[in-house]
Amino acid sequence: MDKFRMIFQFLQSNQESFMNGICGIMALASAQMYSAFDFNCPCLPGYNAAYSAGILLAPPLVLFLLGLVLNNNVSMLAEEWKRPPGRRAKDPAVLRYMFCSMAQRALIAPVVWVAVTLLDGKCFLCAFCTAVPVAALGNGSLPAGLSAPELARLLARVPCPEIYDGDWLLAREVAVRYLRCISQALGWSFVLLTTLLAFVVRSVRPCFTQAAFLKSKYWSHYIDIERKLFDETCTEHAKAFAKVCIQQFFEAMNHDLELGHAHGPLATATSPSTSHSPTEGTEEEREKLRGITDQGAINRLLTSWHKCKPPLRLGQEPLMGNGWAGGGPRPPRKEVATYFSKV
């Protein structure tokens, strides 16, 4: 269990590297998925284009959504976008920066899928087999008795060698090489354009908007760290709250049992050392509660944190209710001293 906890803490502290690794694994998985995918062109006019478009666009969309789901910052972005402004205004530039950072990583796997699909050429061959220039690649002019629907039905069978019977009009190998050459040219052009675009976004853009880029990056990191620290504080408070509740329950049960035995023959055996006195551990847990000691107060605190987060100005008075305290003096903190006597 300790090893898993250490691994989890390492992944939390290196979240950016972890997400980059996840995106790389998804990119490799998308390429492996395509190599294992059994591409079956319907070889029918009107269906080839729809089938090819689905193969080219549907898996990248799924991979993009999966990349967003695996990113831990999606919930943080949605929370920051939908939260009430309260005393802290929402900065659209920070939201755009957060979304662009997630989208850049989530787009890696879809880009790999599209590039591999175009470089392979099967999808492009199935989609555009009916658009092959027969007059330029075939046996001269078209036969007089061949209508346009019949020609489209014949060319739609080019991706299927077992049913293609138009070698007398156009050699299948010629059409396949022609369409795959175009597909590979488009694939390498797509790879080049995406690489240049990524270079511009990652390297050139911050040079022109350095101040805005640094501000957005800083406050994006702040929101992430603030959320983690709030979750850790809530977890610590919940543990302390549960521990004190359980200790109070056992002390109350012990007290009831002692009262029940007070009228019995074992009453004289009761020693003063068994009296209920708060232990040092209990006092430490109460200190962790920070004065929030009932369910209603906890619910109000969580609601106030969601609806009215504190403004980003340090050195202010602590929160009271749903806002900041005024300039009046702070109420004195009550301190209770407990003395123990040994009998």
Side-chain angles (χ1 to χ4, degrees):
M1 184 62 66
D2 294 336
K3 293 182 179 179
F4 287 107
R5 187 180 296 108
M6 292 175 60
I7 294 174
F8 182 72
Q9 291 176 354
F10 173 78
L11 294 179
Q12 279 189 332
S13 60
N14 299 272
Q15 185 177 6
E16 186 173 358
S17 301
F18 173 68
M19 290 308 305
N20 291 335
I22 290 293
C23 293
I25 293 174
M26 289 185 60
L28 296 176
S30 63
Q32 188 65 25
M33 286 169 54
Y34 182 83
S35 62
F37 177 72
D38 188 12
F39 188 88
N40 292 315
C41 183
C43 296
L44 293 173
Y47 292 90
N48 288 8
Y51 179 80
S52 302
I55 296 301
L56 184 64
L57 300 178
L61 179 61
V62 174
L63 292 172
F64 177 73
L65 296 178
L66 186 61
L68 292 180
V69 170
L70 293 178
N71 198 315
N72 296 329
N73 294 331
V74 172
S75 57
M76 180 181 66
L77 175 62
E79 179 182 350
E80 183 67 17
W81 178 43
K82 295 297 294 183
R83 72 170 176 84
R87 295 180 177 269
R88 181 188 301 180
K90 293 185 288 186
D91 190 356
V94 177
L95 298 178
R96 286 195 301 268
Y97 175 84
M98 295 168 62
F99 176 77
C100 291
S101 299
M102 292 185 298
Q104 289 174 12
R105 295 186 177 93
L107 281 173
I108 296 177
V111 166
V112 171
W113 177 276
V114 174
V116 172
T117 303
L118 291 177
L119 292 175
D120 183 66
K122 293 179 182 178
C123 186
F124 190 86
L125 172 64
C126 181
F128 295 97
C129 57
T130 56
V132 174
V134 180
L137 302 177
N139 299 325
S141 60
L142 297 177
L146 191 63
S147 62
E150 293 176 350
L151 178 61
R153 190 180 304 109
L154 182 63
L155 294 178
R157 299 175 183 177
V158 170
C160 305
E162 62 275 3
I163 63 174
Y164 180 69
D165 54 355
D167 286 326
W168 57 273
L169 179 63
L170 176 65
R172 179 183 178 275
E173 187 66 22
V174 174
V176 170
R177 287 178 178 272
Y178 173 77
L179 292 176
R180 282 192 171 179
C181 178
I182 298 177
S183 178
Q184 290 178 359
L186 292 176
W188 285 115
S189 300
F190 177 76
V191 172
L192 178 61
L193 289 177
T194 52
T195 304
L196 290 177
L197 181 61
F199 173 76
V200 171
V201 171
R202 299 287 293 181
S203 302
V204 179
R205 185 180 62 87
C207 298
F208 294 97
T209 58
Q210 184 67 20
F213 177 78
L214 291 177
K215 292 178 183 178
S216 301
K217 185 177 181 180
Y218 176 87
W219 291 117
S220 174
H221 290 170
Y222 172 83
I223 293 173
D224 186 21
I225 296 173
E226 183 187 53
R227 184 191 183 194
K228 291 179 181 178
L229 292 178
F230 183 78
D231 291 341
E232 292 176 0
T233 305
C234 289
T235 302
E236 180 183 357
H237 186 278
K239 290 181 180 179
F241 190 83
K243 188 173 183 179
V244 172
C245 284
I246 294 172
Q247 289 176 349
Q248 288 182 352
F249 173 77
F250 277 93
E251 290 175 1
M253 291 298 297
N254 189 17
H255 181 65
D256 293 341
L257 292 175
E258 288 183 359
L259 291 179
H261 290 299
H263 303 284
L266 299 178
T268 57
T270 304
S271 174
S273 61
T274 60
S275 60
H276 317 294
S277 58
T279 62
E280 182 179 355
T282 305
E283 290 300 322
E284 293 180 357
E285 298 299 331
R286 288 183 180 274
E287 285 293 331
K288 294 180 181 179
L289 293 178
R290 297 177 174 84
I292 310 297
T293 56
D294 64 272
Q295 184 178 7
I298 295 174
N299 292 335
R300 289 193 300 271
L301 181 143
L302 297 176
T303 303
S304 177
W305 176 260
H306 172 69
K307 292 184 177 181
C308 187
K309 288 187 177 181
L312 300 176
R313 295 192 305 271
L314 301 181
Q316 302 290 330
E317 292 292 331
L319 275 173
M320 291 184 179
N322 290 332
W324 288 84
R330 295 176 58 181
R333 182 178 178 181
K334 296 181 179 180
E335 297 183 356
V336 178
T338 306
Y339 300 93
F340 302 92
S341 60
K342 295 184 179 180
V343 180

